Amino acid sequence: YLLLCNRLTGQPIPHYFYQYKSSEGLSNNTVFCSFQDSYGFLWFGTKDGLNRFDGHNFDVFRRSYTSDGGLGSNFILALAEDKNTTLWVGTDNGIYYSNTNTFHLLDPIFKSKEIYDIEVDHNNSVWFLTQGELYSYHITSKSLIKRTSREDFILTTLAKDNSGGIFAGSNQGKLFALIHNNLTLISDFTEHLKKEDQINIQVIKPINDNEIIVGTSKQGVLKWNKLTNKASTLFTDHSLFVRDIHIYDVNTYWYATENGLYIHNISNN
């Protein structure tokens, strides 16, 4: 078990964690993504297989070299679920879908391509990133559309709000929203904050209908307000690489970084 100490205030925080690793059945100790499906199973993507956890045991899905129905890679980077409870899996060798413990490549054009983020919108369309470009796949019509090009900008991450709206961030501090199936620029953090250094957005987390926070690789955690159309710095530490953000409650945000877990009390900063 681990007791966290909040470096922002120096006061102990009574949060306890149990660590699962390869000795407990996890296929690899390097976990890139996690997801809880509609049945309650926890899924973990590692660099050596996809893990499904029922609270007691891990079932591991790996690349199949001898038969169809397996993953094309053990390097699992992204996970999502659509309204039909189909699981979508992003790997470094394509995007796959599954609802019967067998996996199918969405399209051969993504073979050997790294799929590093996936979201499903309110219309049950799958949106995903590969090589900095955005694609959409409409499940009912089975239509696949390339939405952006690297020549315009390089996208680094996707996010979904509570209503199913899709957002995207770039490696140049630009925040986009999907409006009528078109990616629309809603904020340029470089312009707002007058930052000379590159703002590489790594994670997007909508707080409510009017506010979005983003984690970056060098500029800490930033916030954008829809009503004022202004950006601000929520937490800055140029040495931190923010990988993920969790909204614990209205006053408490958790930042997963390359240097550990930070717990930020918003009410007293």
Side-chain angles (χ1 to χ4, degrees):
Y1 291 88
L2 300 175
L3 172 64
L4 294 184
C5 182
N6 188 345
R7 285 179 54 187
L8 299 181
T9 65
Q11 300 299 315
I13 303 295
H15 295 291
Y16 294 87
F17 296 84
Y18 186 81
Q19 185 180 37
Y20 290 94
K21 48 189 184 296
S22 56
S23 57
E24 282 75 44
L26 188 67
S27 64
N28 190 275
N29 290 336
T30 300
V31 178
F32 294 113
C33 57
S34 60
F35 174 77
Q36 185 171 23
D37 67 20
S38 56
Y39 298 105
F41 291 109
L42 292 172
W43 295 81
F44 301 98
T46 77
K47 68 177 183 180
D48 187 26
L50 175 63
N51 296 249
R52 183 180 63 195
F53 185 57
D54 62 5
H56 301 282
N57 301 300
F58 289 93
D59 290 319
V60 180
F61 302 88
R62 287 190 172 94
R63 178 175 182 174
S64 175
Y65 293 92
T66 59
S67 62
D68 295 333
L71 289 165
S73 172
N74 293 328
F75 214 81
I76 313 300
L77 298 171
L79 296 166
E81 184 185 51
D82 64 29
K83 293 180 180 179
N84 304 323
T85 70
T86 297
L87 183 70
W88 292 84
V89 183
T91 77
D92 67 342
N93 194 29
I95 180 171
Y96 296 78
Y97 61 93
S98 169
N99 48 24
T100 59
N101 292 340
T102 58
F103 298 87
H104 308 277
L105 181 66
L106 175 61
D107 194 289
I109 66 170
F110 300 113
K111 195 76 172 176
S112 302
K113 288 188 177 182
E114 184 178 281
I115 312 296
Y116 53 88
D117 213 342
I118 307 172
E119 292 289 352
V120 181
D121 68 12
H122 60 284
N123 292 319
N124 211 28
S125 290
V126 181
W127 299 79
F128 56 95
L129 296 178
T130 179
Q131 298 180 329
E133 299 174 326
L134 178 65
Y135 287 79
S136 70
Y137 177 73
H138 191 265
I139 295 173
T140 303
S141 66
K142 297 183 178 181
S143 62
L144 177 67
I145 302 174
K146 181 180 178 181
R147 296 288 181 173
T148 65
S149 172
R150 285 178 62 91
E151 284 71 25
D152 300 324
F153 40 75
I154 297 176
L155 296 177
T156 52
T157 186
L158 294 175
K160 179 173 64 175
D161 63 16
N162 291 332
S163 63
I166 301 295
F167 298 88
S170 80
N171 67 342
Q172 295 180 330
K174 291 180 171 58
L175 180 64
F176 301 87
L178 192 67
I179 301 175
H180 303 302
N181 279 341
N182 292 314
L183 208 60
T184 303
L185 179 67
I186 59 174
S187 179
D188 186 339
F189 284 100
T190 304
E191 178 181 311
H192 281 298
L193 302 179
K194 303 295 188 283
K195 294 290 186 181
E196 294 181 0
D197 294 336
Q198 181 173 324
I199 300 177
N200 192 331
I201 298 176
Q202 294 295 312
V203 57
I204 303 169
K205 187 66 64 172
I207 306 175
N208 49 50
D209 292 339
N210 296 317
E211 293 180 307
I212 295 174
I213 58 178
V214 302
T216 71
S217 60
K218 291 182 179 180
Q219 302 296 336
V221 180
L222 310 174
K223 182 170 71 172
W224 177 71
N225 187 295
K226 177 181 178 181
L227 297 178
T228 63
N229 192 29
K230 290 184 178 180
S232 59
T233 299
L234 196 59
F235 172 57
T236 181
D237 187 330
H238 298 302
S239 66
L240 287 186
F241 193 117
V242 182
R243 288 290 187 182
D244 206 354
I245 298 173
H246 173 65
I247 309 300
Y248 186 80
D249 57 38
V250 293
N251 291 317
T252 312
Y253 302 161
W254 292 26
Y255 308 139
T257 79
E258 292 284 349
N259 294 340
L261 180 63
Y262 286 69
I263 299 177
H264 188 182
N265 189 312
I266 304 301
S267 59
N268 62 15
N269 201 33

